[in-house]
C-alpha cells in the first residue's frame, strides 16, 4: 500500500491536478459574455489594464478596500504560501544553495543552507498562524458563518494539517528529511526511475496530504487562484466598443 501511495499515486494525482485545471479554465473560456461588463474607471489600454490587474492580484487591493480585517490574514497567508512553494522548488533542486548560486561572492553554501532553513521556517509559521486566524474568523463571525460551507472548513483544516506537519519537521530535531533525500526521491518520480522513499513517517504524512490537496484543488474554491485572473480580465480590460448585445443603442439618463 505504501509503495502505491508514494510511487504510483503521484502520477494519477498530477494528471488529475493538471487535467482538472485545464478543464475548469476551458469551461470559463467557452462561456459567452454577451455584454462588455468592464468596470469604471476603464483602463485606457492593455498595458494599463495588465498593470492594474497585477496590482490587485499582488496586493489584494479589493480585499483591503472592502474588508481590511480579512486582508490581515489573507494577504500574509498567500505571500507565505507562494514563498513556501518557491522555497520548496529552489531549496530541493539546489540542495539549499540557491542563495550561494545567486551571490557566490557574498554567501557561502553553508550560509545559504542556513538562510534557506530560516526562511522556510519563518514563512511556514506565518502561513500556519494566518490559517488559524482565517479559521477563527469563520467560526466566530456571524456573517462568515452564514457564507461558509463545509468545504471551506475542510480546505482550511487540510492546509493547517499540511502546514502543521511541515513546521513540525522543521522545528523538531530529527523529525525532518534532508534536501538530498527529498531530491533523490522526487527526481526518481520525475524521471520515471523510482527511488527509495525516505524512511520518515512525518514526510510520508506531509507528502500524502499534499497529494490530497492537489486532487481536490481543481474541483474546489481553491481554483480562485486561477479564477481571479479570469475575473479581473473580464472586469478590468480596456473599454472601447459598445456592448455587443446592444449595437448602436444610445443610453440617456434623465
Amino acid at each position: 500500500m505504501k509503495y502505491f501511495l508514494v510511487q504510483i499515486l503521484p502520477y494519477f494525482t498530477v494528471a488529475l491536478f493538471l487535467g482538472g485545471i485545464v478543464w475548469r479554465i476551458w469551461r470559463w473560456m467557452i462561456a459567452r459574455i454577451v455584454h462588455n461588463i468592464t468596470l469604471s474607471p476603464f483602463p485606457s489600454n492593455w498595458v494599463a489594464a495588465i498593470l492594474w490587474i497585477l496590482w490587485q492580484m499582488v496586493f489584494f487591493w479589493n480585499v483591503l478596500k472592502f474588508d481590511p480585517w480579512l486582508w490581515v490574514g489573507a494577504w500574509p497567508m498567500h505571500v507565505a504560501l507562494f514563498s513556501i512553494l518557491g522555497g520548496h522548488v529552489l531549496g530541493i533542486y539546489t540542495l539549499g544553495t540557491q542563495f550561494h548560486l545567486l551571490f557566490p561572492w557574498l554567501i557561502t553554501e553553508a550560509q545559504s543552507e542556513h538562510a534557506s532553513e530560516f526562511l522556510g521556517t519563518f514563512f511556514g509559521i506565518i502561513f500556519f498562524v494566518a490559517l488559524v486566524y482565517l479559521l477563527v474568523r469563520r467560526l466566530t463571525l456571524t456573517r462568515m458563518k452564514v457564507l461558509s460551507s463545509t468545504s471551506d472548513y475542510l480546505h482550511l483544516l487540510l492546509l493547517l494539517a499540511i502546514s502543521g506537519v511541515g513546521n513540525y519537521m522543521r522545528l523538531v530535531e530529527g523529525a525532518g528529511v534532508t534536501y538530498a533525500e527529498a531530491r533523490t526521491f522526487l527526481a526518481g518520480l520525475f524521471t520515471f526511475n523510482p527511488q527509495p522513499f525516505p524512511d520518515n513517517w512525518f514526510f510520508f504524512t506531509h507528502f500524502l496530504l499534499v497529494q490530497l490537496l492537489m486532487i481536490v484543488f481543481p474541483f474546489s474554491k481553491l481554483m480562485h487562484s486561477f479564477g481571479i485572473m479570469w475575473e479581473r480580465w473580464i472586469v478590468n480590460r480596456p473599454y472601447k466598443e459598445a456592448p455587443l448585445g446592444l449595437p448602436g443603442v444610445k443610453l440617456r439618463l434623465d
Side-chain angles (χ1 to χ4, degrees), residues 118-131:
F118 171 79
L119 290 174
T121 303
F122 175 74
F123 284 114
I125 293 173
I126 289 179
F127 184 62
F128 186 84
V129 172
L131 287 172

Side-chain angles (χ1 to χ4, degrees), residues 62-229:
N62 280 353
V63 178
L64 177 61
K65 182 167 61 174
F66 293 109
D67 193 344
W69 287 110
L70 172 60
W71 185 91
V72 168
W75 188 75
M77 186 271 283
H78 284 83
V79 170
L81 173 61
F82 285 105
S83 299
I84 291 169
L85 293 175
H88 273 60
V89 173
L90 292 176
I92 293 175
Y93 181 75
T94 66
L95 300 180
T97 63
Q98 64 269 32
F99 300 112
H100 170 70
L101 295 175
L102 288 173
F103 310 103
W105 66 90
L106 184 64
I107 301 176
T108 66
E109 290 188 359
Q111 290 172 332
S112 178
E113 290 182 33
H114 288 307
S116 182
E117 289 286 346
F118 171 79
L119 290 174
T121 303
F122 175 74
F123 284 114
I125 293 173
I126 289 179
F127 184 62
F128 186 84
V129 172
L131 287 172
V132 171
Y133 173 82
L134 294 174
L135 180 59
V136 170
R137 287 185 84 251
R138 287 193 180 275
L139 292 172
T140 58
L141 298 182
T142 302
R143 62 186 178 88
M144 291 303 301
K145 287 191 287 186
V146 171
L147 296 173
S148 298
S149 62
T150 302
S151 62
D152 294 322
Y153 297 107
L154 292 177
H155 294 153
L156 284 172
L157 290 174
L158 178 56
L159 290 170
L160 279 168
I162 294 172
S163 177
V165 175
N167 285 330
Y168 184 85
M169 292 170 62
R170 285 189 176 277
L171 295 171
V172 178
E173 186 175 357
V177 296
T178 64
Y179 286 123
E181 289 177 308
R183 189 173 77 169
T184 298
F185 167 69
L186 293 173
L189 289 178
F190 280 108
T191 59
F192 301 97
N193 180 29
Q195 297 297 316
F197 189 83
D199 186 18
N200 186 303
W201 278 98
F202 295 111
F203 184 65
F204 172 74
T205 302
H206 189 68
F207 186 67
L208 199 60
L209 289 173
V210 170
Q211 288 194 79
L212 178 58
L213 177 65
M214 293 176 66
I215 290 172
V216 303
F217 181 93
F219 314 101
S220 68
K221 293 180 182 178
L222 298 174
M223 270 294 290
H224 71 265
S225 52
F226 289 89
I228 183 65
M229 293 184 284

Side-chain angles (χ1 to χ4, degrees), residues 32-36 241-247:
R32 183 166 178 259
I33 304 173
V34 178
H35 304 292
N36 191 325
E241 71 282 355
L244 298 179
L246 299 171

Side-chain angles (χ1 to χ4, degrees), residues 10-22:
Y11 296 110
F12 291 98
T13 298
V14 172
L16 193 59
F17 176 73
L18 297 178
I21 289 175
V22 171

